[in-house]
Amino acid sequence: MRPDKQKIIIITGPTATGKTDLAVNLSLDMGGEVVNCDSMQVYKGMDIGTAKPLPEEKKGIPHHLLDVVNPDEEFNASVYREYAVPVIKDILAREKICFVVGGTGLYIKSLLGGLFECPSSDPEIREQLLIEYDKKGKDILFERLKKLDPVYADTVHPNDRVRITRALEVIKLTGQPFSALAADHSFKNRDFKPLKICLYHEREILYERINLRSIRMFESGLVDETRKLLKNGYSPDLKPMKSIGYRHAIDYLENRMSYNESIELLQRDTRRYAKRQITWFKADTEMLWFYPDNINEITEKVKEFI
């Protein structure tokens, strides 16, 4: 790591571990600002289902990269890096501590090392895969991905049509697993020197927090928020509308599930998502793991780093 690289603090971990609270408290203590690194909190009008921090939760600390695009606009890890790098450099230029906060592992990886070059999409292959996905069902293609690239498959949700079909397309075009291409790149193009803090709870506690948060989302108006998005013309087929929380609210609104069934499915899918997040973060040897209430230990580690 070059000594001239600028230092940033990454605060990550599975959903419902208290990342925002920690970042705000550290920012209050050290004169910091928060840069969002959650792939859903970038969308305008999607607040409850993304657990976007409320004004009172921010406690006056500037939060960047919230509400930057509409739900029908393209946003991915590469776009995130384009947005985030200049924002972070501005924070550091003002001699503030930068806390990058969120649980989207790929966005963190993109921010710190860039993205590797993939072959351009082949319209014929892509169309064939999409048709096959729609006709044969998601399970067939996901099982194929698990056989061809189990490492990458372990980071993908079985319902993620875009990432599953793109990975299979890359495999067909290159003859190599998607994960192998990423490993060859190694994400070494680093602009920043990070301290990576990963929060965690024991599984039983984490799952209970997830279950309670899911209930609170519905009670706080997730259904009304989703209804408003649909009324404003955002298709239920959009990627953000298929995300955790919103697809469950849509199932309820379209009478495919009862209110309680939608909550139960939201709880189950969020627990599964948290499990995948943990798997991703455990693969990163730079992660330092802390219980969220170990605030003194975390504070000492941050101050020592900066």
Side-chain angles (χ1 to χ4, degrees):
M1 198 75 73
R2 295 199 320 267
D4 60 328
K5 291 193 177 181
Q6 297 174 297
K7 295 179 179 180
I8 60 173
I9 317 299
I10 307 291
I11 298 179
T12 191
T15 188
T17 46
K19 296 181 288 292
T20 296
D21 286 347
L22 174 63
V24 167
N25 289 330
L26 290 173
S27 294
L28 288 169
D29 183 33
M30 302 181 191
E33 298 186 12
V34 173
V35 176
N36 167 52
C37 193
D38 180 289
S39 63
M40 288 300 299
Q41 291 185 358
V42 299
Y43 293 110
K44 299 174 184 177
M46 306 185 86
D47 302 333
I48 297 171
T50 66
K52 202 174 291 177
L54 299 170
E56 57 267 28
E57 293 172 326
K58 297 178 184 177
K59 298 180 181 178
I61 297 299
H63 281 61
H64 304 270
L65 302 192
L66 298 172
D67 303 316
V68 294
V69 292
N70 293 312
D72 58 352
E73 293 182 76
E74 178 70 18
F75 204 91
N76 53 41
S78 178
V79 176
Y80 173 78
R81 190 174 196 275
E82 291 176 10
Y83 273 77
V85 169
V87 169
I88 293 171
K89 288 186 175 181
D90 175 68
I91 293 170
L92 297 174
R94 290 185 281 107
E95 298 186 351
K96 297 288 186 178
I97 306 299
C98 179
F99 294 94
V100 177
V101 183
T104 305
L106 183 61
Y107 281 22
I108 295 171
K109 201 167 190 179
S110 171
L111 171 65
L112 296 178
L115 294 172
F116 64 90
E117 292 295 326
C118 268
S120 300
S121 182
D122 183 303
E124 189 174 327
I125 294 174
R126 184 139 190 82
E127 182 67 18
Q128 180 183 353
L129 287 166
L130 291 172
I131 291 172
E132 188 177 359
Y133 184 99
D134 293 336
K135 287 187 175 180
K136 294 184 179 180
K138 61 182 184 298
D139 294 339
I140 297 294
L141 266 68
F142 186 63
E143 287 300 319
R144 186 185 305 167
L145 181 60
K146 284 168 68 175
K147 290 179 181 178
L148 295 173
D149 190 353
V151 174
Y152 184 70
D154 197 41
T155 70
V156 178
H157 190 281
N159 294 334
D160 196 331
R161 180 173 180 260
V162 173
R163 292 178 69 194
I164 291 170
T165 53
R166 176 55 176 159
L168 290 171
E169 179 189 12
V170 170
I171 291 169
K172 194 171 184 64
L173 288 169
T174 66
Q176 298 182 65
F178 193 85
S179 60
L181 295 174
D184 287 342
H185 173 79
S186 298
F187 296 88
K188 293 175 181 175
N189 181 29
R190 291 195 167 191
D191 294 305
F192 307 109
K193 179 178 181 179
L195 174 69
K196 298 181 182 178
I197 293 171
C198 191
L199 302 183
Y200 73 102
H201 290 284
E202 300 299 338
R203 182 158 298 188
E204 183 178 334
I205 296 174
L206 177 61
Y207 285 2
E208 180 62 21
R209 288 172 64 90
I210 286 170
N211 291 341
L212 291 173
R213 174 188 272 191
S214 299
I215 294 169
R216 284 198 302 270
M217 282 182 174
F218 266 73
E219 291 179 344
S220 300
L222 176 58
V223 172
D224 288 338
E225 180 174 87
T226 306
R227 185 186 288 114
K228 182 178 179 181
L229 288 164
L230 294 170
K231 186 178 179 180
N232 288 340
Y234 295 114
S235 168
D237 293 326
L238 289 172
K239 184 179 176 182
M241 297 294 282
K242 289 184 174 183
S243 65
I244 289 176
Y246 295 97
R247 67 172 182 262
H248 302 89
I250 289 171
D251 281 341
Y252 169 67
L253 286 170
E254 296 186 351
N255 298 313
R256 289 191 290 270
M257 290 185 185
S258 70
Y259 186 86
N260 288 335
E261 286 171 338
S262 297
I263 292 176
E264 289 171 5
L265 190 60
L266 170 57
Q267 291 171 330
R268 186 203 71 182
D269 288 348
T270 307
R271 291 193 302 267
R272 290 179 175 178
Y273 173 58
K275 187 176 179 181
R276 292 194 303 276
Q277 287 178 298
I278 292 168
T279 299
W280 177 288
F281 298 132
K282 279 185 175 179
D284 188 338
T285 58
E286 295 180 339
M287 286 293 176
L288 302 177
W289 295 75
F290 294 93
Y291 289 115
D293 55 1
N294 285 355
I295 183 69
N296 291 335
E297 187 179 350
I298 295 170
T299 300
E300 287 179 13
K301 180 62 70 175
V302 172
K303 288 183 176 180
E304 177 187 322
F305 174 73
I306 60 177

